């Protein structure tokens, strides 16, 4: 809060190792496979004859893509390991829309000894996002996202999400927004970035726009010295945007 930064975590470092696990499959009919292989926008390194030959081989092997992958022809597919290697470019920030229950203070607010920062998401198109200082973003990122990082509501489901690359049933981002129902009390939202801007730890510290911080809620057991320190920070750095709640 003093520095005005968020840290976008590498999903591999989450406490719950099942969180953000990626699962891929390629499942569909012969027509789906043909459409997938013959699409010229998907595999630019294969000409039409090579596509036909590859489709024929897949059909001979009853479209067992894992068998093809094991034969060293996996460059045409992307599996879980391929995506995990790209986690170097993935950053996740976890927020909640639920600030009142005792559960949240017990799990994340040091049994009432902590404090809660309240941010206001902006409506961007059909979604929500938080604004940051865009001087820390690359031109490539700004060209598509501007100074915003999109917010995604977490879906709670005990069935793990499996992304079907052949007949898309969602997007790879659903790996990062699906959690088990035992976490549903958290009413979680996630800000997610997927960009090479995050390759190094210091790159993951990104300054939020000061007018996005709207409130501070103090835990009922918070130390008076800590509260005074927070008040001083508000007066110096957030004099107009922040309301304080007891």
């Amino acid at each position: 809060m003093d520095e005005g930064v968020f840290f976008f975590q590498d999903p591999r470092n989450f406490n719950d190792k099942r969180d953000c696990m990626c699962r891929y499959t390629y499942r569909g009919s012969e027509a789906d496979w043909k459409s997938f292989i013959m699409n010229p926008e998907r595999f630019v390194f294969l000409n039409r004859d090579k596509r036909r030959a590859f489709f024929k081989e897949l059909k001979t092997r009853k479209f067992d893509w894992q068998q093809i992958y094991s034969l060293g022809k996996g460059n045409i597919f992307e599996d879980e390991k391929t995506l995990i290697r790209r986690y170097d470019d993935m950053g996740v920030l976890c927020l909640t829309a639920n600030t009142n229950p005792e559960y949240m203070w017990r799990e994340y607010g040091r049994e009432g000894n902590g404090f809660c920062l309240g941010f206001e998401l902006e409506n961007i198109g059909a979604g929500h996002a938080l604004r940051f200082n865009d001087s820390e973003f690359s031109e490539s990122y700004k060209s598509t996202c501007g100074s915003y990082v999109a917010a995604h509501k977490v879906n709670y489901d005990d069935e793990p999400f499996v992304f079907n690359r052949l007949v898309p049933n969602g997007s790879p981002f659903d790996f990062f927004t699906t959690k088990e129902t035992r976490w549903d009390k958290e009413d979680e939202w996630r800000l997610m970035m997927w960009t090479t801007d995050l390759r190094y730890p210091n790159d993951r510290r990104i300054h939020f726009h000061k007018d996005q911080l709207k409130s501070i809620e103090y835990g009922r057991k918070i130390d008076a010295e800590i509260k005074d320190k927070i008040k001083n920070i508000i007066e110096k750095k957030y004099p107009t945007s922040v309301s304080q709640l007891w």
Side-chain angles (χ1 to χ4, degrees):
M1 179 183 172
D2 191 13
E3 296 182 43
V5 299
F6 278 139
F7 186 84
F8 282 77
Q9 185 62 273
D10 181 331
R12 290 170 295 193
N13 295 330
F14 281 179
N15 291 331
D16 184 354
K17 298 305 180 184
R18 288 171 292 184
D19 195 356
C20 294
M21 287 182 64
C22 59
R23 299 173 178 87
Y24 273 18
T25 190
Y26 292 79
R27 187 180 300 117
S29 66
E30 179 176 331
D32 293 327
W33 274 106
K34 188 171 185 178
S35 175
F36 182 78
I37 297 299
M38 299 307 291
N39 184 347
E41 296 180 358
R42 182 166 282 111
F43 307 115
V44 295
F45 52 87
L46 293 179
N47 61 33
R48 190 170 183 82
D49 289 339
K50 288 182 178 179
R51 290 172 191 275
R52 286 173 174 166
F54 189 66
F55 175 74
K56 184 176 181 180
E57 182 175 1
L58 274 170
K59 186 175 180 179
T60 299
R61 298 180 185 279
K62 298 181 179 180
F63 301 104
D64 185 345
W65 71 274
Q66 291 177 317
Q67 186 181 119
I68 298 294
Y69 189 89
S70 67
L71 293 174
K73 298 181 179 180
N75 61 335
I76 201 168
F77 298 115
E78 187 175 59
D79 68 344
E80 292 93 339
K81 293 179 181 178
T82 306
L83 181 64
I84 288 174
R85 286 195 293 270
R86 294 167 58 194
Y87 275 21
D88 289 342
D89 303 331
M90 185 71 189
V92 180
L93 177 69
C94 302
L95 305 173
T96 180
N98 194 349
T99 61
N100 296 319
E102 289 296 317
Y103 170 85
M104 298 301 292
W105 284 105
R106 183 177 68 250
E107 297 296 322
Y108 301 102
R110 298 176 58 207
E111 298 283 355
N113 289 291
F115 57 93
C116 177
L117 304 181
F119 291 85
E120 184 175 34
L121 298 176
E122 297 186 22
N123 294 323
I124 305 297
H128 304 278
L130 199 66
R131 186 153 45 105
F132 288 78
N133 292 337
D134 62 7
S135 61
E136 298 176 341
F137 295 151
S138 67
E139 291 301 321
S140 174
Y141 183 87
K142 288 190 288 186
S143 68
T144 55
C145 302
S147 58
Y148 292 92
V149 177
H152 304 264
K153 186 172 176 57
V154 168
N155 174 54
Y156 297 96
D157 193 332
D158 288 328
E159 284 294 322
F161 174 69
V162 180
F163 182 50
N164 188 355
R165 295 300 302 269
L166 193 64
V167 184
N169 56 335
S171 83
F173 272 110
D174 292 334
F175 294 130
F176 309 105
T177 57
T178 302
K179 295 182 69 173
E180 296 174 344
T181 55
R182 63 193 177 101
W183 301 106
D184 62 4
K185 299 184 184 69
E186 298 182 358
D187 194 8
E188 187 176 343
W189 285 71
R190 288 180 169 179
L191 300 183
M192 299 189 296
M193 299 179 66
W194 207 327
T195 168
T196 53
D197 294 357
L198 304 176
R199 286 292 173 87
Y200 303 100
N202 283 340
D203 296 336
R204 294 177 175 273
R205 292 168 49 85
I206 302 176
H207 289 80
F208 55 80
H209 210 280
K210 287 186 177 181
D211 62 7
Q212 302 283 274
L213 178 60
K214 297 298 183 181
S215 66
I216 306 285
E217 183 172 355
Y218 300 108
R220 64 176 182 269
K221 300 178 184 177
I222 192 169
D223 185 84
E225 184 178 343
I226 295 177
K227 183 185 284 189
D228 287 340
K229 184 177 180 180
I230 293 173
K231 288 181 177 180
N232 288 333
I233 293 173
I234 293 173
E235 291 173 2
K236 291 178 180 178
K237 300 187 176 183
Y238 310 91
T240 59
S241 64
V242 178
S243 60
Q244 299 180 63
L245 307 174
W246 296 87

